[in-house]
Amino acid sequence: MARRLVSGCLALAAFAALGREASANGRPPATSTITFRQGHESDVAVGLTFGLLVSHDSGATWEWVCENAIGYGGPYDPDYAFSASGALFASTFDGLKVMRDSCTFEITSSGTGFIATDLLGPDHTLYVAASQQADPGHGVAGDFNIYRSTDDGKTFPTKGQPPGVVSWWQ
């Protein structure tokens, strides 16, 4: 797993120096999301076109997590959500991933279908929206339900799906 600590100023200078010459999955280096932990704003996750930066000291130092360690790649950018416990969730094509130990992203009990987005509510309930197209030839069922976890992402009972055709959650 590729990880390293970088000082805040050094990280910004390094990314600025990359400029137009570097690319991440054929795209210029860029930020896709910035997520703060509710009640612990010193914890921040910055989704990038080339992985994830995490800081637990308001940006004084950063830890880089490569795409492979999270479980995604290519031009896709996950959504991230911190839970009240500090667990960090990432939406991927292979299900919702969670990092509880500041080291490893693991699959949650939500399954291995595509998770389009995740969101932590003000009451610390984690909402997850699946956007899995059916593929009967490969035994993959379609799933466009919204799941809700009230136990820090350990279980995800189905919340429901609105009527009509859904192909993506945003």
Side-chain angles (χ1 to χ4, degrees):
M1 176 181 311
R3 303 184 125 190
R4 59 185 165 156
L5 291 177
V6 184
S7 101
C9 292
L10 179 61
L12 293 175
F15 295 136
L18 291 175
R20 292 183 208 118
E21 296 175 21
S23 64
N25 299 309
R27 302 179 292 167
T31 302
S32 58
T33 61
I34 300 176
T35 305
F36 293 91
R37 182 176 165 200
Q38 293 176 11
H40 300 270
E41 287 74 22
S42 61
D43 292 341
V44 60
V46 179
L48 305 164
T49 55
F50 53 92
L52 171 71
L53 286 176
V54 179
S55 177
H56 297 290
D57 56 11
S58 300
T61 59
W62 294 93
E63 187 173 6
W64 175 62
V65 183
C66 69
E67 296 167 311
N68 288 339
I70 300 166
Y72 78 98
Y76 176 74
D77 296 316
D79 283 338
Y80 296 97
F82 276 109
S83 71
S85 73
L88 182 60
F89 293 87
S91 61
T92 75
F93 282 106
D94 297 321
L96 185 69
K97 305 287 180 85
V98 63
M99 180 174 62
R100 297 184 190 278
D101 60 3
S102 296
C103 183
T104 307
F105 275 90
E106 298 176 343
I107 193 74
T108 66
S109 65
S110 67
T112 57
F114 176 50
I115 300 298
T117 191
D118 54 9
L119 173 73
L120 189 69
D123 62 351
H124 302 288
T125 298
L126 181 63
Y127 294 93
V128 176
S131 291
Q132 180 63 53
Q133 294 288 338
D135 184 357
H138 291 98
V140 176
D143 183 2
F144 294 94
N145 289 304
I146 296 176
Y147 295 89
R148 179 180 148 217
S149 176
T150 57
D151 60 3
D152 200 39
K154 293 181 177 75
T155 61
F156 288 89
T158 303
K159 174 73 174 159
Q161 177 180 340
V165 178
V166 176
S167 61
W168 181 266
W169 291 105
Q170 183 79 17

